[in-house]
Amino acid sequence: MPLLSTRSLNAERTTTTGYAFVEYEEFEAAKKAVESTRGHKLDVKHILAPNLHSDFSRLAAVPDEYQAPVFVDSGDKEENPYSWLLDPACTDQYLTRNKNAAEIYLNDPLRHPDPLTTTAAADSYVWSTEGKFLVTLHKQGAIMMKGKSWTQKKYRCDGVKQVAFSPKDSYFVAWSATAQEAENDKAVTVWHIASNRSKQFPGFPRAEKGKPINASWPIFSWSHDEAYFARVLNGKLIVYTSETFESFAIEIPGIRSIAWSPNANHLAYWVEEGGKQSPGVFIIHIPTRRLIRQKILSSFLHCDLIWQDEGKYLAVKVEHYKLMKKKKAEEGAAGSSSSSSSAAASSAPEKKSIGHKYLIFRTAEPSIPIEILDPKDLKGADDRTLKDSPLNVFAWEPHGDRFVILNSEPSNQAGVSVYNITEHKIVLLKTLSGRAINSVKWAPNGGVFVMAGVKPSSGALEFFSAELLETIGEGHHFNCTDIEWDPTGRFLMSIASALKQQHDCGFMIWKIDGTLHHKLQRENLFDFKWRPRPKTLLTAEMIQEIENNFAEITRVYSIADDVEARRLRTAKDVTRLRLLDEFAQLEREWQRIYAEEKEAREKIQNFADNFGYKTEVVEVEEVIEEFEEPL
């Protein structure tokens, strides 16, 4: 590029002015220079921001009075990826998958309509984090669909087996099993969906025999604002900047797993014993790497990091060793004294067993205090301590300070303990015992959780109010294999999947009080997935105002539901009358044909028309539906 001159010093030529004028012989050369250097980093704090001189002239010529812009409809409109949220009835959608295809339905509370759309057969179907996209996986790659008309965009990724999205659906991640086998450094691809820029990364680390180790998906963990994503690889914590895909590594020998805070760029991780790094749980700030809190542990096997959805708390489930006295095969030989038996017992070697405890980090408080919740603090309905009961499930209440712990009990039963975190301590609110369950899930808005016995358990469902501390509804789904709340928390789905059993496949949709809303038996039903919703844009003040005026707001919707229910009942009555009329016409037509053919029948040899024609009317009473009329 022919460069004529540059000017960047002040009049005294002692310091720079903070800007520079660069002159080129040709306009195209200047334009290309602006495009190629915009956003270039000069150092950590300074970024180059070039503009054409004509841009300043154009901006200086802006009139003082506002002039509304003129919009020209080009006919090429980008589809709204949130179009399904514009439904006036606020109806959620769900996807059902069978052997040959997948169908998307509306979860209409008053009717069960036909599917909105049917997609072709695929290896798998995945909703994005906020529900903007639906991805289907095929041997050649992935197809991403969005909008009301389900427009498609294809991503080439041979042998894709897993996909994931960033928290706000800006980035798309795919793992190729084919590339994992051939080129491990290009097995994972990350796309920025809007710009289509991408970068490839190494896949799972490989063992000596060619089998992946620690192959847990998703391979990347994202910060809440999508600014960073991270992974653990070969004893290092690798953090990537999503804007540039640049990375930095922190060597932490023995690091096992990581988890981002849901509301800050704080990263929690735990380190196993036996390495150069102190074992325990650590929380650091990214990108400064500043240590925020740590808890050194000893004699432990494994940790699970469980953030509360608002980032107020971090629960760490710790599997640790318990020392026990090893029982003797025989208490003592005949004729031995009690003192010698006691001495033998005291000198018996110790053995290790596995125990559990929870560490609760109060991450929203200064200095982040830590509380320890041990099994000996858990009590059953008869006040027996549950210290010998392995802890199975821990679940935070969304948007709240409560949590539940499911623990196993004798005779293949389980108990559930409900806790509340107060300002100074953790309070046990309620203990439920003797349940035939193995799963606990909170409703997305909190307040209610369901206890379920998914296969191989009994299929029992119990809806429990954490506000009232009592059961508000019960149900049963035989051979249930999974449960999932809808995004609003108004409905719960239970499914008996053909992927896990052969008979009685289908799904049920339950209301939050345990009332059965919809049921469908379908052979070869593989999956059921609610369409996710983005996080609410309402402020805490707006939500509080809605809660204060909840009765009046719901009254408007209740009236609308009643009007629609009456209309549907009227439509059903009209349909029944039409079908009865059509049947009567068909009956009269066949009577006429029968009468016309009487002479022909009599001419048939030895034919005796003595059976006649008889019409019998049978009235049957059937309850179609029950409803309450508003006063």
Side-chain angles (χ1 to χ4, degrees):
M1 297 180 185
L3 182 64
L4 295 182
S5 63
T6 61
R7 297 190 298 276
S8 62
L9 298 176
N10 61 0
E12 291 76 17
R13 303 184 67 81
T14 56
T15 60
T16 63
T17 57
Y19 58 90
F21 293 95
V22 183
E23 186 177 0
Y24 288 85
E25 285 185 349
E26 299 176 358
F27 174 76
E28 290 299 327
K31 184 178 178 181
K32 188 174 182 180
V34 168
E35 294 175 351
S36 61
T37 59
R38 177 171 290 155
H40 178 72
K41 291 184 178 181
L42 299 176
D43 53 37
V44 177
K45 296 183 178 180
H46 299 88
I47 298 177
L48 192 62
N51 289 279
L52 296 171
H53 190 272
S54 57
D55 292 339
F56 292 96
S57 302
R58 176 175 55 82
L59 295 173
V62 174
D64 295 333
E65 296 183 1
Y66 172 75
Q67 296 179 357
V70 178
F71 294 99
V72 178
D73 187 0
S74 63
D76 185 17
K77 295 182 178 179
E78 180 74 13
E79 281 209 77
N80 181 8
Y82 294 109
S83 59
W84 93 97
L85 296 176
L86 303 178
D87 179 14
C90 304
T91 308
D92 279 301
Q93 298 180 6
Y94 60 85
L95 177 146
T96 62
R97 171 194 171 199
N98 55 41
K99 184 177 181 180
N100 300 317
E103 298 173 328
I104 298 175
Y105 293 86
L106 280 176
N107 183 36
D108 195 308
L110 299 177
R111 65 179 79 81
H112 306 296
D114 295 331
L116 297 175
T117 186
T118 300
T119 66
D123 296 337
S124 183
Y125 302 81
V126 180
W127 288 111
S128 64
T129 307
E130 292 191 339
K132 290 169 59 176
F133 309 106
L134 173 65
V135 175
T136 60
L137 306 188
H138 310 266
K139 291 182 179 180
Q140 297 80 10
I143 299 177
M144 183 182 297
M145 297 180 286
K146 69 173 182 178
K148 192 172 183 179
S149 60
W150 302 97
T151 56
Q152 297 184 359
K153 181 179 180 181
K154 296 182 179 180
Y155 290 84
R156 183 73 181 184
C157 186
D158 292 337
V160 58
K161 291 297 183 181
Q162 296 282 1
V163 296
F165 286 83
S166 60
K168 300 179 181 179
D169 285 356
S170 300
Y171 295 87
F172 173 56
V173 186
W175 172 65
S176 167
T178 302
Q180 176 78 35
E181 294 296 328
E183 303 177 85
N184 193 42
D185 60 337
K186 295 182 179 180
V188 178
T189 307
V190 179
W191 285 272
H192 182 250
I193 297 174
S195 65
N196 208 38
R197 62 184 176 88
S198 64
K199 187 172 181 179
Q200 293 180 312
F201 299 89
F204 298 110
R206 304 172 69 88
E208 294 181 357
K209 296 183 179 180
K211 296 182 179 180
I213 57 174
N214 193 24
S216 59
W217 185 262
I219 198 168
F220 293 123
S221 180
W222 291 82
S223 63
H224 75 290
D225 57 0
E226 297 183 332
Y228 304 96
F229 58 99
R231 68 177 299 186
V232 174
L233 184 63
N234 300 328
K236 296 180 180 179
L237 170 62
I238 305 177
V239 181
Y240 302 88
T241 303
S242 57
E243 184 177 355
T244 62
F245 292 142
E246 296 179 353
S247 65
F248 63 86
I250 307 174
E251 188 169 352
I252 308 175
I255 184 172
R256 292 294 303 275
S257 65
I258 60 177
W260 287 93
S261 166
N263 71 338
N265 286 340
H266 295 166
L267 185 66
Y269 64 90
W270 69 276
V271 177
E272 64 183 355
E273 290 186 293
K276 298 179 181 179
Q277 178 82 16
S278 299
V281 180
F282 305 83
I283 305 176
I284 61 174
H285 176 264
I286 298 296
T288 63
R289 315 183 195 187
R290 175 174 54 89
L291 179 64
I292 298 174
R293 191 68 164 94
Q294 66 177 1
K295 176 65 175 178
I296 305 300
L297 301 174
S298 61
S299 299
F300 72 102
L301 284 173
H302 184 81
C303 291
D304 289 326
L305 308 174
I306 312 166
W307 283 97
Q308 187 254 7
D309 72 316
E310 296 174 327
K312 295 168 60 177
Y313 310 103
L314 170 65
V316 182
K317 179 182 176 181
V318 181
E319 293 184 3
H320 61 87
Y321 291 113
K322 292 192 304 181
L323 295 179
M324 301 175 61
K325 295 293 184 181
K326 189 174 182 180
K327 293 183 178 181
K328 292 175 63 65
E330 299 180 1
E331 292 297 331
S336 62
S337 65
S338 60
S339 59
S340 62
S341 298
S342 301
S346 62
S347 61
E350 296 178 332
K351 68 174 184 178
K352 294 181 179 180
S353 64
I354 305 301
H356 301 79
K357 64 181 178 182
Y358 283 96
L359 308 177
I360 307 296
F361 291 70
R362 295 175 178 254
T363 53
E365 300 180 17
S367 72
I368 310 183
I370 302 174
E371 299 192 47
I372 300 177
L373 190 63
D374 199 87
K376 67 176 181 294
D377 300 324
L378 304 176
K379 292 183 178 295
D382 55 359
D383 282 341
R384 291 184 296 105
T385 60
L386 303 177
K387 61 181 180 179
D388 296 326
S389 171
L391 305 180
N392 297 330
V393 179
F394 181 100
W396 286 109
E397 177 187 23
H399 318 299
D401 301 313
R402 290 175 292 220
F403 61 88
V404 296
I405 295 179
L406 182 150
N407 49 273
S408 60
E409 293 180 345
S411 303
N412 295 324
Q413 293 186 325
V416 174
S417 302
V418 186
Y419 288 87
N420 184 46
I421 301 181
T422 65
E423 184 178 356
H424 301 292
K425 61 180 180 178
I426 299 177
V427 179
L428 175 62
L429 300 178
K430 185 79 171 181
T431 297
L432 309 171
S433 187
R435 264 59 175 182
I437 60 172
N438 52 17
S439 177
V440 173
K441 288 190 178 181
W442 285 92
N445 292 321
V448 174
F449 63 86
V450 64
M451 298 173 281
V454 301
K455 197 171 182 178
S457 192
S458 65
L461 299 172
E462 182 176 351
F463 297 80
F464 190 87
S465 170
E467 301 288 347
L468 304 175
L469 293 178
E470 63 182 30
T471 299
I472 59 175
E474 293 181 341
H476 188 271
H477 187 172
F478 180 68
N479 280 341
C480 171
T481 57
D482 196 13
I483 59 172
E484 182 183 356
W485 287 96
D486 82 317
T488 65
R490 296 180 295 175
F491 299 96
L492 176 85
M493 174 279 305
S494 61
I495 182 176
S497 172
L499 296 176
K500 299 180 181 179
Q501 62 183 35
Q502 296 181 352
H503 306 289
D504 300 316
C505 300
F507 68 86
M508 298 182 182
I509 299 179
W510 309 80
K511 295 182 181 180
I512 195 171
D513 60 355
T515 304
L516 182 61
H517 167 61
H518 181 40
K519 176 181 178 180
L520 180 66
Q521 293 292 119
R522 178 180 293 176
E523 296 300 322
N524 296 321
L525 177 65
F526 289 170
D527 208 353
F528 181 113
K529 294 181 179 180
W530 292 104
R531 185 170 191 173
R533 283 176 173 260
K535 292 184 178 180
T536 179
L537 299 178
L538 300 178
T539 63
E541 293 76 14
M542 297 169 69
I543 294 176
Q544 186 62 48
E545 182 179 355
I546 292 174
E547 292 177 352
N548 295 338
N549 302 285
F550 186 75
E552 183 63 26
I553 294 174
T554 54
R555 180 176 176 273
V556 176
Y557 289 97
S558 297
I559 293 175
D561 286 345
D562 291 338
V563 171
E564 179 65 12
R566 289 194 188 96
R567 188 191 70 79
L568 292 175
R569 286 195 294 272
T570 302
K572 288 181 179 179
D573 292 340
V574 171
T575 301
R576 293 189 187 102
L577 291 174
R578 178 180 59 80
L579 292 175
L580 284 173
D581 183 62
E582 291 177 356
F583 180 79
Q585 292 181 16
L586 183 63
E587 183 183 29
R588 289 192 295 269
E589 177 65 16
W590 280 107
Q591 286 178 344
R592 182 188 62 79
I593 295 174
Y594 183 82
E596 290 178 352
E597 294 178 346
K598 181 177 181 180
E599 184 177 351
R601 290 196 302 272
E602 292 176 346
K603 293 180 179 179
I604 299 177
Q605 185 177 6
N606 300 326
F607 178 81
D609 192 4
N610 56 6
F611 53 84
Y613 183 91
K614 181 181 179 181
T615 301
E616 182 179 355
V617 178
V618 179
E619 293 186 0
V620 179
E621 292 186 359
E622 179 183 359
V623 178
I624 305 299
E625 61 179 331
E626 296 181 359
F627 62 93
E628 295 182 1
E629 291 284 356
L631 299 177

